[in-house]
Amino acid sequence: MKSSAAENLLLELRDITRAISDLDLENEADYESLHSLQYDQAQLREQIDQLSQMNGFSYTESDKSILLECIKLEKMNNEAFAQKRQAARMELNRINESRKSKSAYLGEYTQHVGYFIDSQQ
């Protein structure tokens, strides 16, 4: 029975991980879904961890294959997130560089007000 409970949790974890993979990271509307799915994923991992700590628990071959699939999907997700993070860094660097070059050519013009008195002899 423990294995069946573990298998159900692992299948749910796999489905959530697939749902994360299917999200469009370019769409800001999916950010809330991503956050919610990642929270659910963390909760499932905690439940699986608690279940695996029970005495006499062992994963079946089916459980192990589901775990391997989850790990593979998670690696793919991490690579996609890393690519998006790198693209965002590059865009921020480009913006910062353009600000620097803009300020380099736009110095403030100052005019000093004063009087010049020429002494006449």
Side-chain angles (χ1 to χ4, degrees), residues 97-109:
E97 290 299 319
S98 68
R99 284 183 185 162
K100 287 178 187 176
S101 65
K102 179 181 176 184
S103 64
Y105 293 107
L106 294 177
E108 284 189 39
Y109 175 74

Side-chain angles (χ1 to χ4, degrees), residues 1 10-12 15-16 18 22 24 26 28 32-33 46-47 52 54 68 76 87 95 111-112 115 119-121:
M1 182 170 172
L10 289 169
L11 288 171
E12 193 174 344
D15 292 342
I16 289 174
R18 281 183 181 162
D22 294 339
D24 180 13
E26 297 292 327
E28 285 186 38
E32 187 63 35
S33 297
E46 188 175 313
Q47 290 176 14
S52 68
M54 297 176 85
L68 288 174
M76 289 171 36
I95 291 169
Q111 179 178 3
H112 298 286
Y115 298 98
S119 65
Q120 294 185 3
Q121 293 184 22

Side-chain angles (χ1 to χ4, degrees), residues 61-72:
E61 290 302 315
S62 176
D63 293 344
K64 290 176 184 178
S65 70
I66 296 169
L67 272 171
L68 288 174
E69 187 176 354
C70 287
I71 291 169
K72 179 182 172 187

Side-chain angles (χ1 to χ4, degrees), residues 84-95:
K84 293 295 178 188
R85 186 174 31 250
Q86 181 63 23
R89 277 191 193 127
M90 289 173 56
E91 184 67 16
L92 286 173
N93 286 341
R94 186 188 64 77
I95 291 169

Side-chain angles (χ1 to χ4, degrees), residues 3 6 13 18 44 52 57 59 69 73 76 87 90 109-110:
S3 178
L13 179 65
R18 281 183 181 162
L44 282 171
S52 68
F57 178 83
Y59 288 109
E69 187 176 354
L73 288 168
M76 289 171 36
M90 289 173 56
Y109 175 74
T110 58

